[in-house]
Amino acid sequence: MNSTDSKNSISEVKKSVDESLAKMDKLIDDLKNERERIKNDLESKIENLTFGKFNKEEIDSFLEEPYVIIPKRENEFYVIAPRWVDFQIGWLDRTTKSYNIFVVNRYMQWIAPVPERLREKLKFPTPLPLKVVDGILLTGKEHQEEAMQRYRGFVVGRIGQDRIRIKRGGEFKLIAQMIEDGILPFIPKPVQQEDLVEPIESMVIGANIVLRKYQEDAWREFLDKGACGIYWAFGSGKSFFGVYALACLKGPKLVIVPTLTLKEQWEERIKKYLSGKMDEIEVVTYHAYEKYRNREFTLIIYDECQHLPANTFIRLATLRTKYRLGFSGSPFREDKRENYIFALTGFPLGMAWDELLKLKVVKMPVFKLHLLQDNRQKLSKLNELLKLPLKTLIFCDSIEFGQRISSMFSIPFVYGETRGRMDILRESDTTVISRVGDEGISLPELERVIEVSFLFGSRMQESQRFGRLMHSQKEEPEHIILMTEEEFERYGKRLNSIYERGGRIEVLR
């Protein structure tokens, strides 16, 4: 290249750079102008709100208290906050275009701390110091008359001046009502030394079971109380804690689970960590009451104990056991019988999700909602998503639709009649699964959950399904929901279980 050509080439490069810089300067000016326009437009809209002029001096007051409290019923309140404020408390009841509406009652504060300032405003009455033990309500002299009047539908008569006899068979109902009133009526029954394996330390280290700090704290609480409900986030080690308890206690033990899938998983863990104790431990589903009604156990574990208050399962709480544990990452029910979850398991032990997220014990998935017209479009979107090869669970309540997806994409379908479920789930990169996979499944390699069919507006199901990803060891697991516009309109409340945990959903149309 001669000097003239070289100069021309340099000149062209300089010209190109200058043009690029000019375009960049223009883009910066355009962005500044757009920012100013948006600012002015926003201020104008705020100033012209129908409810009055925008008072800038009130902003500080709003930031101090960005919510309003409205009574819902006795000892229960709505707490309403703008959607753009990072604020979660209690259960998210519903949302509008502008506001989140939470429900808070007294027993919620036992599993997730309520800020002191808000607790003062809720002004829950001081609970009576009442306790229940062996069919007797312990009142003390000063509270016997008040307790007799308040709970007369559950009791039959006074015993002396400080106790009341409970109606036969009414103990759990009374405890549930007392919990609704903000009273924890349990009396600790510490685990007896004679029921513990000795020495625990060498046995546990040999089984390679090591608890995290918050699990150690919970274990000490259980040793002191003898009956506890554990309400930690999905993936935070509730079942691992349960295996530890099974390892540490002597005698016959029973684990009760809602599905055969969970039964498989518990049996695998017990075989892995406690192979020498297999003859002491039985794992059954919630339908097994009749078989065990006359048996006695050292320990019963109720996994996914939000099922326990159901009319068909509540009898399981009456099985004879010295100690009990209940586990749930979603202790709420569509029939509003949350108080029974606590009444049937014991002292509640919770931990705020944000604390577990900070400790990196669990991770929040990335949420995306695709709004489509019909099932045909769902299949088309599913075909598009599956082109990216990730370890995936496709949740589908409809057996017919699940079989169609299985056939269309040549992937296995796990549902009620399927055997060897966990092997299929581990070995397949992509699996369609019915609601038998909603709860408890732990797949560390799972990268993505896709929902195509679901149980109407069930928040519990939604939280359980995204909970499968909180077990994942992957960095950014995805939870993708495929809904029609009609489904979104009718069943969109199920998504509140995501919002109330601080999740954010990207909506795509």
Side-chain angles (χ1 to χ4, degrees):
M1 179 183 295
N2 58 40
S3 59
T4 302
D5 291 338
S6 179
K7 288 179 181 179
N8 289 338
S9 180
I10 292 171
S11 177
E12 288 176 2
V13 170
K14 185 177 183 301
K15 180 180 178 183
S16 177
V17 169
D18 288 342
E19 288 176 351
S20 296
L21 290 173
K23 289 179 180 178
M24 190 176 296
D25 288 340
K26 184 177 186 306
L27 180 60
I28 291 171
D29 287 339
D30 289 344
L31 287 172
K32 287 180 178 178
N33 292 335
E34 181 64 12
R35 180 180 180 279
E36 192 65 24
R37 185 195 68 76
I38 292 173
K39 177 185 174 183
N40 292 336
D41 186 47
L42 181 60
E43 288 182 351
S44 175
K45 287 181 178 179
I46 290 175
E47 289 288 350
N48 290 287
L49 286 173
T50 57
F51 55 76
K53 294 292 184 180
F54 173 64
N55 188 343
K56 297 177 182 178
E57 295 177 359
E58 295 294 333
I59 284 185
D60 288 340
S61 297
F62 171 80
L63 293 176
E64 277 187 36
E65 191 176 296
Y67 52 77
V68 62
I69 300 171
I70 299 175
K72 182 175 186 284
R73 59 177 181 172
E74 186 178 4
N75 298 323
E76 192 165 64
F77 299 86
Y78 290 117
V79 179
I80 304 171
R83 292 185 65 174
W84 51 269
V85 174
D86 187 11
F87 179 88
Q88 291 88 38
I89 188 171
W91 307 133
L92 183 60
D93 184 66
R94 59 187 181 276
T95 65
T96 69
K97 289 183 178 181
S98 305
Y99 294 95
N100 287 328
I101 303 170
F102 301 91
V103 173
V104 180
N105 53 35
R106 288 192 296 194
Y107 52 81
M108 288 177 183
Q109 64 187 317
W110 298 327
I111 59 173
V114 176
E116 179 66 28
R117 185 167 182 176
L118 186 56
R119 193 161 61 245
E120 290 174 359
K121 291 182 177 295
L122 293 173
K123 294 180 179 179
F124 290 126
T126 302
L128 292 174
L130 308 179
K131 300 295 179 183
V132 172
V133 59
D134 297 332
I136 304 297
L137 177 60
L138 305 180
T139 64
K141 292 182 180 180
E142 63 271 36
H143 300 296
Q144 189 190 58
E145 180 59 32
E146 184 177 356
M148 190 72 192
Q149 294 302 317
R150 179 178 294 190
Y151 301 115
R152 59 181 177 271
F154 304 95
V155 299
V156 293
R158 294 176 172 83
I159 303 174
Q161 297 180 338
D162 60 355
R163 290 168 291 168
I164 301 172
R165 188 176 302 282
I166 301 168
K167 286 182 178 179
R168 188 174 181 178
E171 187 167 320
F172 282 129
K173 290 183 179 179
L174 172 60
I175 290 173
Q177 183 56 54
M178 293 171 74
I179 285 173
E180 187 76 13
D181 295 339
I183 301 169
L184 276 179
F186 310 111
I187 290 182
K189 295 182 180 179
V191 176
Q192 298 175 23
Q193 195 66 33
E194 65 191 44
D195 292 323
L196 290 170
V197 173
E198 295 287 354
I200 290 176
E201 288 78 9
S202 60
M203 180 273 299
V204 170
I205 290 173
N208 196 31
I209 301 176
V210 180
L211 299 184
R212 299 184 179 110
K213 173 65 168 59
Y214 65 90
Q215 292 171 319
E216 291 177 351
D217 294 341
W219 176 247
R220 284 190 287 271
E221 284 291 314
F222 172 66
L223 290 178
D224 179 60
K225 305 294 195 303
C228 293
I230 308 293
Y231 306 108
W232 299 332
F234 309 106
S236 56
K238 294 184 293 296
S239 57
F240 197 78
F241 181 89
V243 171
Y244 184 89
L246 294 171
C248 294
L249 288 169
K250 299 176 183 177
K253 296 168 281 285
L254 186 65
V255 180
I256 304 176
V257 300
T259 66
L260 292 174
T261 314
L262 268 181
K263 183 175 185 290
E264 277 187 36
Q265 189 159 273
W266 270 96
E267 288 173 340
E268 286 178 357
R269 287 171 176 159
I270 291 167
K271 184 176 181 180
K272 177 180 179 180
Y273 292 106
L274 308 173
S275 57
K277 287 178 166 282
M278 296 287 288
D279 59 334
E280 294 182 3
I281 305 166
E282 295 181 73
V283 184
V284 300
T285 70
Y286 274 86
H287 297 278
Y289 171 77
E290 290 297 333
K291 184 178 178 179
Y292 296 92
R293 60 187 300 181
N294 296 318
R295 296 269 302 276
E296 292 188 29
F297 299 91
T298 304
L299 171 69
I300 294 181
I301 294 176
Y302 300 95
D303 197 15
E304 305 296 346
C305 62
Q306 70 273 7
H307 293 281
L308 196 53
N311 292 334
T312 49
F313 301 144
I314 199 167
R315 294 181 301 172
L316 289 162
T318 66
L319 293 177
R320 283 171 286 184
T321 180
K322 293 182 74 171
Y323 314 111
R324 67 179 61 213
L325 284 167
F327 298 153
S328 179
S330 55
F332 52 80
R333 295 178 53 84
E334 301 302 322
D335 61 7
K336 306 300 182 184
R337 298 175 80 181
E338 286 94 351
N339 52 338
Y340 274 89
I341 299 174
F342 305 106
L344 300 171
T345 52
F347 291 89
L349 301 177
M351 190 172 184
W353 281 44
D354 56 353
E355 291 182 43
L356 290 166
L357 290 167
K358 288 175 185 176
L359 290 171
K360 297 185 178 179
V361 172
V362 298
K363 55 174 67 71
M364 188 66 76
V366 174
F367 296 96
K368 294 181 180 178
L369 169 63
H370 292 271
L371 292 177
L372 307 161
Q373 292 302 312
D374 49 32
N375 281 348
R376 182 183 58 80
Q377 283 197 5
K378 284 187 180 183
L379 291 172
S380 177
K381 176 55 67 174
L382 191 58
N383 181 55
E384 178 186 323
L385 293 169
L386 293 181
K387 288 178 181 178
L388 181 63
L390 298 171
K391 179 74 173 177
T392 302
L393 285 183
I394 302 170
F395 280 102
C396 183
D397 269 35
S398 166
I399 301 301
E400 181 182 352
F401 196 31
Q403 290 171 335
R404 183 178 174 187
I405 293 170
S406 173
S407 175
M408 181 174 179
F409 296 101
S410 300
I411 54 179
F413 181 30
V414 173
Y415 60 108
E417 297 179 7
T418 308
R419 296 295 176 261
R421 299 173 186 179
M422 291 307 300
D423 287 339
I424 295 172
L425 293 171
R426 291 193 188 95
E427 293 168 5
S428 304
D429 289 332
T430 301
T431 311
V432 190
I433 190 164
S434 73
R435 68 180 65 166
V436 302
D438 284 353
E439 299 169 312
I441 291 177
S442 180
L443 295 171
E445 299 304 312
L446 187 63
E447 297 172 276
R448 178 172 60 187
V449 160
I450 302 175
E451 286 190 89
V452 298
S453 173
F454 29 80
L455 181 62
F456 310 119
S458 173
R459 296 186 306 166
M460 184 179 76
Q461 185 189 64
E462 188 65 47
S463 63
Q464 288 284 349
R465 286 182 172 180
F466 81 70
R468 299 314 100 222
L469 289 167
M470 299 186 81
H471 293 258
S472 174
Q473 294 177 354
K474 302 302 180 180
E475 281 304 310
E476 286 194 340
E478 278 191 310
H479 184 83
I480 298 172
I481 306 158
L482 307 185
M483 274 186 169
T484 66
E485 294 280 359
E486 181 182 0
E487 288 171 337
F488 181 60
E489 182 70 25
R490 298 177 65 183
Y491 312 131
K493 70 175 185 177
R494 64 186 285 117
L495 305 180
N496 289 349
S497 62
I498 297 172
Y499 292 125
E500 71 189 4
R501 298 304 187 189
R504 296 291 179 265
I505 304 174
E506 181 183 0
V507 181
L508 303 166
R509 280 186 164 88

